[in-house]
Amino acid sequence: MSLRRAPNPNRNHPLYCPYCASENLFPDVETEFAWNCRECLRVFAVMFYGQNDPGQRPKASLSTADALKASLNHDLYQPH
Ligand SMILES: [Zn+2]
């Protein structure tokens, strides 16, 4: 039996307190995401929710096999 709990993959590690900018931060037991600032004594949470899709994506390039085929057929390089 292990006493160590599984790590929380969504926990973020702030470098500075968002209220007083102190670096004297320690994890807090309030929630899985809570941090305790030992300078201003505030307890706050930092949580990563995910990442939005970008507004524009570059077109996918041809696979190696498709690029070779296009090259052998003397096609102009036009990614789909
Ligand atoms: Zn603080």
Side-chain angles (χ1 to χ4, degrees), residues 17 20 37 40:
C17 172
C20 72
C37 176
C40 69

Side-chain angles (χ1 to χ4, degrees), residues 35-46:
W35 290 88
N36 176 12
C37 176
R38 299 263 169 100
E39 295 288 331
C40 69
L41 304 180
R42 287 182 170 98
V43 176
F44 58 92
V46 177

Side-chain angles (χ1 to χ4, degrees), residues 36-78:
N36 176 12
C37 176
R38 299 263 169 100
E39 295 288 331
C40 69
L41 304 180
R42 287 182 170 98
V43 176
F44 58 92
V46 177
M47 185 173 170
F48 178 69
Y49 284 97
Q51 193 169 12
N52 290 334
D53 287 333
Q56 294 182 341
R57 272 182 208 274
K59 287 183 179 177
S61 59
L62 291 175
S63 69
T64 303
D66 289 342
L68 177 62
K69 240 183 261 176
S71 173
L72 293 176
N73 292 334
H74 302 290
D75 291 341
L76 293 176
Y77 175 73
Q78 293 178 342

